[in-house]
Amino acid sequence: MYENYAQRLAVVYEATHKPEDFISADFEFKKMMRAGSCSAEDLRCYGILHHQMACYCIDKAVDLFDKVIGQGKAVDKDVFWRTKHQKMILYSQTGKAQKNIDEALAVINDGSEDAEDWICLIAAYSYSGDAAKAYEWILKAIPKFPDKAALYVYGGDTCRDLKKYDEAFKYWRKALELDDKMYDARYSMGFCYEELEEYGKAYDIWLDIARDLEEDGYEIEKQFPMELAEKCKAVLTDHPA
């Protein structure tokens, strides 16, 4: 006998794995939470519900990413590589960081001369938390692909992880020389300035990013840098130089 309707719906979802059944169970548990009537067993069941949904979502995401990757670079090269990186991020967050490294390293050892494959290897080490190894490969990759802006973004991010701040900014600025609207480099610089407590410089970057996003038609995306700018402004107001 189920203790309540929410527990019953949780069992239904466990049997079907249908998202609509998850939504129904989630709704009932939320009602109980709002009413303050959840027992310890209810909370345990609710946690299991989310755990099962998380597993479903991970499997679904991998399946969708694989469908894109399976179409190959010829269909849409930009989407192909963005999808590959997204799958790598997912793998790194679900205990499969070494799989990313092994697959990317195999491609390089097979003789790939595609800059994107080299970036994937650097990203694999970066996502795994091995900044020192990522840095080694950056030093190998940049002479081979000196005009690849994304390499310099990874170079800057890796140097930041290694506390090589001066070198990090050199890499990010080089990325912007090659692509003056490279948002990844600009965000990295902004966050690094905050890390260094140079809030005035960070504030200027956030405003510049927000302005450019607005000019490019990204009304929703501009809100994030605007929020970051406001936080820097508050710090500068409370602690003027």
Side-chain angles (χ1 to χ4, degrees):
M1 177 70 71
Y2 308 112
E3 293 181 10
N4 50 58
Y5 188 45
Q7 287 187 20
R8 181 182 184 282
L9 291 179
V11 173
V12 170
Y13 173 68
E14 184 176 3
T16 68
H17 297 293
K18 292 181 179 179
E20 56 267 32
D21 290 332
F22 167 84
I23 292 170
S24 297
D26 182 52
F27 179 76
E28 289 300 321
F29 277 112
K30 282 177 178 175
K31 283 201 311 186
M32 293 173 63
M33 293 283 284
R34 286 194 296 269
S37 59
C38 275
S39 67
E41 176 62 11
D42 290 328
L43 294 174
R44 186 185 76 86
C45 291
Y46 196 21
I48 291 172
L49 178 75
H50 279 279
H51 183 185
Q52 292 170 337
M53 186 60 177
C55 292
Y56 165 85
C57 289
I58 289 169
D59 290 343
K60 187 66 176 179
V62 171
D63 178 61
L64 293 169
F65 294 153
D66 284 344
K67 280 182 169 60
V68 176
I69 293 168
Q71 294 178 23
K73 307 172 191 177
V75 177
D76 189 320
K77 195 172 182 180
D78 180 57
V79 172
F80 173 86
W81 288 113
R82 285 165 56 201
T83 304
K84 193 161 186 177
H85 280 277
Q86 196 65 47
K87 182 182 176 182
M88 290 171 65
I89 291 170
L90 178 59
Y91 269 15
S92 71
Q93 293 173 340
T94 53
K96 296 181 179 179
Q98 188 60 47
K99 185 175 177 64
N100 282 335
I101 294 169
D102 292 343
E103 290 181 355
L105 192 56
V107 173
I108 299 304
N109 288 339
D110 198 39
S112 174
E113 292 295 321
D114 189 326
E116 294 292 347
D117 284 324
W118 286 68
I119 289 171
C120 280
L121 179 58
I122 292 164
Y125 281 117
S126 180
Y127 297 156
S128 75
D130 193 343
K133 201 68 178 178
Y135 184 68
E136 286 181 24
W137 281 96
I138 285 163
L139 295 180
K140 295 176 184 178
I142 284 179
K144 290 177 68 69
F145 312 103
D147 297 326
K148 190 70 177 178
L151 265 178
Y152 295 94
V153 178
Y154 277 100
D157 292 349
T158 301
C159 286
R160 177 190 171 194
D161 291 337
L162 295 171
K163 310 301 182 186
K164 298 174 180 284
Y165 295 115
D166 289 342
E167 192 172 351
F169 281 101
K170 288 179 183 177
Y171 278 128
W172 290 325
R173 291 186 181 111
K174 180 62 178 179
L176 290 171
E177 283 180 24
L178 295 168
D179 181 352
D180 63 1
K181 278 198 174 181
M182 175 65 77
Y183 285 111
D184 289 346
R186 297 163 77 189
Y187 272 107
S188 292
M189 290 174 73
F191 285 123
C192 193
Y193 277 132
E194 286 191 7
E195 185 176 317
L196 296 172
E197 299 185 353
E198 296 186 36
Y199 294 103
K201 292 180 180 179
Y203 175 77
D204 290 339
I205 284 182
W206 300 140
L207 286 185
D208 286 343
I209 292 174
R211 182 199 63 228
D212 288 344
L213 285 170
E214 184 175 31
E215 289 178 357
D216 291 343
Y218 297 111
E219 290 292 330
I220 296 173
E221 288 83 350
K222 79 171 185 180
Q223 296 305 317
F224 180 53
M226 285 301 298
E227 291 171 6
L228 294 171
E230 287 302 314
K231 289 178 182 178
C232 287
K233 184 178 180 181
V235 173
L236 291 167
T237 301
D238 293 340
H239 305 284

